[in-house]
Amino acid sequence: MKRISGVNNWKLVIRRETAGVTILRAETCDRQAALPDTLFGLPVTALGGHALTPGRQAPEGEEVLVTCGPAGEEWDNRQLEDLRLPDTLRRVGDYALFNCTALRTLRLADTIAYWDGGVLMNCRQLDTFYLTCTGREGELMDYLAGELPRELDMTLSYPEGRTARVIFPEYVEVFEENVPHHQFDFHIQGAGYPYHHCFYHKQFSLRDYDQLWKGYLGMEHEEDCALRLAWWRLRYPLDLTERAEEAYWAYLRDHGAAAARWLLSRRDAAGLRTLLSRTDWTREGLAELCDLARGQDATEALAVLLEEQHRRFPSGMDKTFDL
């Protein structure tokens, strides 16, 4: 077995080809890991079928140990939570990530041209994606949103440092048995279906995405999901029109307390300051948030809240602040 250094611990079985390297098998003991972009001077261009499936027997091929220091004892991907795929990758084989049940976050580029069947099957917790975009992000997003009907959180990184973050709300496809007619009736539940299918010719438009907002609010939806969707579009306002911006802020103004509690749970003091500046508050509402921040030991957020409390209601306030 060849041994090389890397940024994570991997046990690999590979096949060298003229155009690059195919990883036939990859096992790690790390919870957060990045597959190498190159091996032995060749780009990693493909993942084989069942390449990361826990418990699968390793196929025949060239064995490589990638090390970055002390390693754990379990090398079966069952603990893998955060995975970065190589930017050089062009193909992902059948069931490559099958049964990676702890996987929550996937980082990858939109340059993967081929996805074989069942790649994400039984990745039950996978809902967060960081995409490097080169102009083909619509194809990748269409694939991911089509495969995973749950709520998805996608951060899109474009050239020149431009960033967008979009939420795709959950929907559920339900088959109900219609016994008298000996058939199954198909139903779609949840307001997220239009978002998961907002791609025209596999292209993604942020403006088309924003136009779904009014219809989404008109259906039964989860308020906390709507809050996150609105907030991230405002936080990263790439291609955001004034009309869409006002619609998102209108929702946050109507749900200011819930938004503030969410930002407190994230310890996002800067975001909390922005929210407070764009929403109306009573003395009692700010006092409740201050108590919540104290209970969470969120010192920076508490300072923001006390400052806002003093600005809005200066009379009768103590001259000293208790942090």
Side-chain angles (χ1 to χ4, degrees):
M1 177 182 290
K2 296 181 175 64
R3 186 185 186 99
I4 61 175
S5 61
V7 296
N8 294 107
N9 296 295
W10 288 103
K11 289 180 181 178
L12 304 177
V13 178
I14 69 170
R15 182 176 63 237
R16 301 194 208 191
E17 301 168 338
T18 303
V21 173
T22 295
I23 295 179
L24 303 173
R25 181 67 183 159
E27 294 178 310
T28 183
C29 57
D30 298 335
R31 293 182 180 271
Q32 181 173 351
L35 283 167
D37 289 292
T38 61
L39 288 168
F40 308 109
L42 293 171
V44 173
T45 57
L47 285 181
H50 289 281
L52 281 87
T53 299
R56 294 285 294 186
Q57 185 176 356
E60 292 185 2
E62 183 178 353
E63 297 183 358
V64 180
L65 177 63
V66 182
T67 63
C68 69
E73 297 180 356
E74 296 185 8
W75 291 75
D76 61 2
N77 300 332
R78 297 184 191 278
Q79 305 300 317
L80 180 60
E81 298 177 358
D82 188 321
L83 173 66
R84 189 186 77 83
L85 297 178
D87 289 343
T88 54
L89 205 61
R90 297 297 177 266
R91 186 174 202 123
V92 181
D94 290 328
Y95 303 98
L97 302 177
F98 176 65
N99 270 353
C100 289
T101 54
L103 186 63
R104 295 177 179 272
T105 302
L106 193 60
R107 305 170 191 269
L108 68 167
D110 65 1
T111 49
I112 300 174
Y114 304 101
W115 293 85
D116 293 338
V119 172
L120 304 177
M121 185 176 290
N122 280 0
C123 294
R124 302 187 187 96
Q125 300 191 66
L126 179 60
D127 61 7
T128 304
F129 298 88
Y130 292 86
L131 311 183
T132 301
C133 304
T134 66
R136 297 178 56 188
E137 66 276 4
E139 297 178 35
L140 175 57
M141 296 170 70
D142 183 32
Y143 169 75
L144 296 172
E147 288 289 306
L148 303 171
R150 66 182 67 105
E151 181 184 323
L152 304 179
D153 183 339
M154 297 189 189
T155 299
L156 316 177
S157 297
Y158 295 93
E160 301 176 355
R162 297 176 300 142
T163 301
R165 186 168 178 177
V166 289
I167 300 294
F168 291 82
E170 182 181 22
Y171 75 96
V172 178
E173 296 178 344
V174 179
F175 289 89
E176 294 182 349
E177 185 176 5
N178 189 331
V179 176
H181 296 88
H182 303 286
Q183 66 184 27
F184 285 90
D185 295 331
F186 175 68
H187 303 280
I188 295 175
Q189 300 176 356
Y193 185 86
Y195 281 94
H196 282 254
H197 297 82
C198 68
F199 306 94
Y200 183 70
H201 291 310
K202 296 188 177 182
Q203 297 296 312
F204 178 67
S205 165
L206 284 164
R207 296 198 177 193
D208 290 345
Y209 173 92
D210 291 333
Q211 289 180 2
L212 299 173
W213 176 246
K214 183 178 180 180
Y216 175 68
L217 295 183
M219 294 183 282
E220 185 177 352
H221 62 277
E222 295 184 6
E223 292 186 355
D224 58 340
C225 177
L227 187 154
R228 292 190 295 271
L229 191 159
W231 177 258
W232 291 125
R233 278 302 284 135
L234 292 167
R235 173 63 180 81
Y236 299 98
L238 185 64
D239 288 343
L240 186 66
T241 65
E242 291 184 5
R243 183 176 181 179
E245 180 182 14
E246 176 52 34
Y248 288 133
W249 271 119
Y251 184 85
L252 291 179
R253 283 194 291 269
D254 289 341
H255 298 80
R261 289 194 296 270
W262 175 64
L263 291 170
L264 271 175
S265 70
R266 295 177 52 83
R267 295 181 178 272
D268 186 352
L272 185 61
R273 186 185 299 275
T274 299
L275 178 71
L276 293 173
S277 70
R278 298 291 297 267
T279 49
D280 295 327
W281 293 90
T282 64
R283 185 193 299 270
E284 293 74 16
L286 287 175
E288 289 179 5
L289 289 177
C290 288
D291 290 341
L292 183 60
R294 291 188 183 94
Q296 296 178 359
D297 197 24
T299 306
E300 187 176 0
L302 177 58
V304 170
L305 288 165
L306 291 172
E307 179 184 336
E308 186 68 16
Q309 192 177 49
H310 181 68
R311 185 184 71 82
R312 288 176 183 257
F313 309 104
S315 60
M317 297 290 295
D318 294 334
K319 294 184 179 181
T320 59
F321 295 153
D322 180 13
L323 295 176

